[in-house]
């Protein structure tokens, strides 16, 4: 797992190498040679480590010890970069040549020590004859249990009947595009089992058939040879000209072929040169299974995809029952106590609907007495036991990730199980920690790359999509419990992060902690009372009901801390004292305080000049001092709804203000009080993408309606009105605003007939909704999502039909009506309006609201 730390070192050296401070012409340029050596050497070592992992996985303790030495080396190099170079850069700002030269000399001496350690590691490798690379003969056939399983007789398939019926109908559909069905999903869902059942049921309807296992390390020649044998190509023709003869046969035969476990598209590019197109009149078909949805899209298109989901609870218990009783219908739960049945259901619930986990668990239980005591012991310890049973299958997906993406995947383990994680948080933390770095140093490119990594993790079905944004991007996601356990175990093994439960122990190991997460108050308090040395800590996550973490901060110097996340329940409303020592965390780049936290950030925050994100939950009440603008790197500032953050927006002669920021940095500003909003804000902050203003007045309405030139990148605008504005708001000149949120603190009419022309999502809160407002909304050409919360409908009926034989809501896909007041009927009477509507959500309503016309039953 040393490759994770090595990647971090490489990323940081890339950033440093591109820094202007070490460009030619400065007196620090001579450091570039050492930085380049670090980057070059760590790349070679990372490649070496990745190749040596096969031996480590095989149980060779010598290789394991060698990789541990490399991991410690990489950690020490990262510490060196984090500690020394910022000091050198800081001293250079004040043109203190003697101090700079002294620090640089010390840095160079440390690099020499690193070089000697690299030589010593190589000496150990050669002295003890550690054969640590994979010397497998390329001609050897990879043989594993998947090949055996693919051809073995399969037992009954449980819980996938609906999936099977849909797949069968799709496969036999004469109009199936590309003739391909792609079964995709996370590991352990039963993709191969389902595909085998489908294949065996339909193969008699085709002239020839074949099933082959592709694997992570496919060889096109072997796969084609396997297909040739399966479809009946004679031995003579297989030896003479395999590719041409196989293609000639399949061109005239109606075939069905199952390609199991495809990992990437490159092997398909080779196979399709031989396999004839399946969408011909012959009507041939291909079934594939893959953990990666993008592979299925590439081979068969979007329509080919069938994404398997975890089993529902009753289906899970049915599978568990069959496995426990070995499919013997004469033995069942009739003779079991109700308590044992309940324990069984609890055990199944812990499996999260994953068939592989259910089968592994049932196998463990079959080897034990069928008693409450024995099963309870399994229930209490099943997390690790089930994880161990599924580890090899799950680890395949992890090992297939690009090296640079592995640390991003492990980051999900920092959150508790079943936690919904915002994409905004993930991508900005990855960038803050230098897990994502681009050679150009361009922030927008880094954000795009981080988004690509997240999309890739979702496509590989390692991460589950929870919500999408107004423009189809990932808004939030979560991770299955089994994969969460995998993250925690791999992170512990690689020292990437530790949970509080496994952080105790050897003080030396504790001192090397880089990231730690707390899910429990008691464990957190106990850990900090042990007075741990946390000099290397980079990331601290606390999910707590008692925000005592702030009192602990007063006793520790987290001098290298990059990321601090504190999450408390929203009902807590706890007053906290944030110590002035908070300002000593001078490396802090990402700060998130979520929940009902009441307190004040100290003025010492002025020292935190590297802050990139300050994210205060809107439900909290955290006072921010003016010193927050001292950080020239600030990109995202999100404050609460209330008046707590007023101080930071005040213009003071003693502190910087938001107008002192570099013009191209700040991208998010939520929520600025109306009295501090001026036209020069939009002129100055040219890269502002998201803006929220609270207490909007007539003057702000006028500024927004007449501002010129219009901001080029502003995409999201949120306005909270505290009084009924006399001015009409006109946003028609903002072509880039795609998300608009308008809210008032009491019911009033919306004075606007001019919305942004490219608006995709609109949210209205507490407004009066009448036919005149609806007439305007119906004409918005790109509106896809409309949410109206706590709005009043004095006309009682909301007619969504087109106006004067015109069209209505041409692109609307989601209509969400939440806690409506006075609404009794929603109707649409024509056949040309809302043709793309997918969801009509009525929430917080009683049964008295009727739906008429062609509206379907909503989700309530």
């Amino acid at each position: 797992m040393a490759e994770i730390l090595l990647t971090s070192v490489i990323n940081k050296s890339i950033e440093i190498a591109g820094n202007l401070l070490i460009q030619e012409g400065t007196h620090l340029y001579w450091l570039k040679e050492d930085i380049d050596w670090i980057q070059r050497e760590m790349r070679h070592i990372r490649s070496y480590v990745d190749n040596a992992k096969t031996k480590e996985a095989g149980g060779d303790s010598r290789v394991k010890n060698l990789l541990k030495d490399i991991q410690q080396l990489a950690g020490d190099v990262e510490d060196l970069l984090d500690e020394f170079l910022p000091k050198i850069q800081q001293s250079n700002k004040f043109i203190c040549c003697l101090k700079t030269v002294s620090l640089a000399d010390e840095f160079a001496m440390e690099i020499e020590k690193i070089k000697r350690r690299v030589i010593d590691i190589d000496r150990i490798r050669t002295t003890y004859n550690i054969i640590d690379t994979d010397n497998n003969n390329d001609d050897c056939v990879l043989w594993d249990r998947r090949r055996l399983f693919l051809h073995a007789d399969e037992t009954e398939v449980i819980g996938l009947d609906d999936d099977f019926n849909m797949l069968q109908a799709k496969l036999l559909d004469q109009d199936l595009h590309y003739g391909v069905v792609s079964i995709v999903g996370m590991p352990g869902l039963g993709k191969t089992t389902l595909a085998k059942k489908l294949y065996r049921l339909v193969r008699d309807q085709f002239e020839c058939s074949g099933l082959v296992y592709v694997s992570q390390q496919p060889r096109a020649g072997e796969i084609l040879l396997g297909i040739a044998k399966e479809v009946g190509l004679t031995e003579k023709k297989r030896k003479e000209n395999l590719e041409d003869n196989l293609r000639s046969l399949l061109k005239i035969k109606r075939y069905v072929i199952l390609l199991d476990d495809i990992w990437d598209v490159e092997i398909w590019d080779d196979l399709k040169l031989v396999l004839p197109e399946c969408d011909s009149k012959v009507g041939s078909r291909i079934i594939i299974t893959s953990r990666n949805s993008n592979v299925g899209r590439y081979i068969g298109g979007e329509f080919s995809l069938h994404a398997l989901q975890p089993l529902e609870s009753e289906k899970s218990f049915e599978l568990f029952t069959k496995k426990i009783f070995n499919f013997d219908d004469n033995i069942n739960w009739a003779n079991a106590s109700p308590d044992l049945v309940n324990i069984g259901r609890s055990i199944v619930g812990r499996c999260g609907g994953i068939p592989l986990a259910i089968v592994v668990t049932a196998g463990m239980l079959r080897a034990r007495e069928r008693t409450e005591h024995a099963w309870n012991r399994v229930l209490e310890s099943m997390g690790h036991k089930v994880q161990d049973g599924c580890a090899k299958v799950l680890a395949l997906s992890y090992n297939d990730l690009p090296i640079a993406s592995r640390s991003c995947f492990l980051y999900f383990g920092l959150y508790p199980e079943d936690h919904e994680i915002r994409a905004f948080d993930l991508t900005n933390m990855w960038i803050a920690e230098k897990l994502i770095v681009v050679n150009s140093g361009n922030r927008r490119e880094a954000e795009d790359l981080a988004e690509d990594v997240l999309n890739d993790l979702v496509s590989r079905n390692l991460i589950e999509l929870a919500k999408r944004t107004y423009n189809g991007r990932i808004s939030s996601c979560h991770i299955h419990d089994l994969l969460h356990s995998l993250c925690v175990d791999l992170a512990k093994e690689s020292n990437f992060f530790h949970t509080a439960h496994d952080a105790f122990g050897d003080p030396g190991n504790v001192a090397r902690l880089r990231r730690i997460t707390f899910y429990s108050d008691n464990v957190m308090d106990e850990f900090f009372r042990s007075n741990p040395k946390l000099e290397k800590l980079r990331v601290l996550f606390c999910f707590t009901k008692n925000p005592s973490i702030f009192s602990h901060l007063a006793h520790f110097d987290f001098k290298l801390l990059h990321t601090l996340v504190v999450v408390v329940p929203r009902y807590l409303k706890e007053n906290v004292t944030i110590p002035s020592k908070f300002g000593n965390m001078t490396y802090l780049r990402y700060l998130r305080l979520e929940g009902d936290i009441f307190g004040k950030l100290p003025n010492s925050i002025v020292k935190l000049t590297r802050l990139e994100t300050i994210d205060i939950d809107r439900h909290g009440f955290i006072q921010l001092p003016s010193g927050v603008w001292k950080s020239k790197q600030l990109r995202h500032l999100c404050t609460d709804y209330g008046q707590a953050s007023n101080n930071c927006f005040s213009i003071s002669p003693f502190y910087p203000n938001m107008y002192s920021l570099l013009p191209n940095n700040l991208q998010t500003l939520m929520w600025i009080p109306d009295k501090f909003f001026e036209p020069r804000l939009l002129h100055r902050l040219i890269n502002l993408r998201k803006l929220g203003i609270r207490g909007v007045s007539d003057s702000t309405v006028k500024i927004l309606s007449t501002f010129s030139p219009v901001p080029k990148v502003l995409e999201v605008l949120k306005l909270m009105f505290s009084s009924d504005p006399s001015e009409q708001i006109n946003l028609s000149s903002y072509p880039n605003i795609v998300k608009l949120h308008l809210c008032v603190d009491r019911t009033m009419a919306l004075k606007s007939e001019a919305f942004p022309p490219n608006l995709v999502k609109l949210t209205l809160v507490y407004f009066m909704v009448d036919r005149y407002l609806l007439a305007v909304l119906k004409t918005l050409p790109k509106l896809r999502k409309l949410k109206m919360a706590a709005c009043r409908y004095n006309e009682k009926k909301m007619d969504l039909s087109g106006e004067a034989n015109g069209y209505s809501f041409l692109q609307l896909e989601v209509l969400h009506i939440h806690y409506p007041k006075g609404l009794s009927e929603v109707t649409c009477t024509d056949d040309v309006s809302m043709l793309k509507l997918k969801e009509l959500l009525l929430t917080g309503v009683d049964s008295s609201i009727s739906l008429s016309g062609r509206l379907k039953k909503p989700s309530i």
Side-chain angles (χ1 to χ4, degrees), residues 66 69 119-130:
L66 187 73
D69 289 343
I119 293 171
D120 191 53
I121 287 174
D122 189 54
R123 177 193 63 79
I124 292 172
R125 186 184 66 85
T126 55
T127 299
Y128 298 101
N129 193 28
I130 302 175

Side-chain angles (χ1 to χ4, degrees), residues 364-404:
M364 289 191 297
L365 291 172
R366 283 204 308 270
R368 287 165 171 76
E369 291 183 299
R370 203 167 291 161
T371 65
E372 295 167 24
H373 174 71
W375 281 27
N376 263 323
R377 289 190 63 184
V378 171
L379 178 61
E380 292 167 1
S381 62
M382 69 175 295
H384 284 291
K385 289 184 178 180
V386 174
Q387 171 66 27
D388 291 343
C390 303
K392 291 183 179 179
V393 174
L394 300 176
L396 284 174
S397 290
Y398 173 78
N399 291 328
D400 188 61
L401 285 172
I403 293 177

Side-chain angles (χ1 to χ4, degrees), residues 54 65 79 104 110 132 139 176 198 380 480 525-526 533 574 599 671 693 756 768:
T54 304
N65 288 332
D79 293 341
E110 293 297 326
D132 43 23
D139 295 328
L176 177 64
L198 178 64
E380 292 167 1
H480 191 277
D525 292 337
E526 183 182 354
K533 303 298 182 183
E574 182 86 11
W671 293 80
I693 308 173
M768 297 278 294

Side-chain angles (χ1 to χ4, degrees), residues 557-575:
D557 279 325
F558 298 118
K559 62 178 183 177
L560 292 179
L561 196 70
H562 295 160
T563 301
L564 175 61
V565 175
V566 180
V567 179
V568 304
R570 287 187 177 168
Y571 57 79
L572 190 66
K573 301 190 183 300
E574 182 86 11
N575 283 297

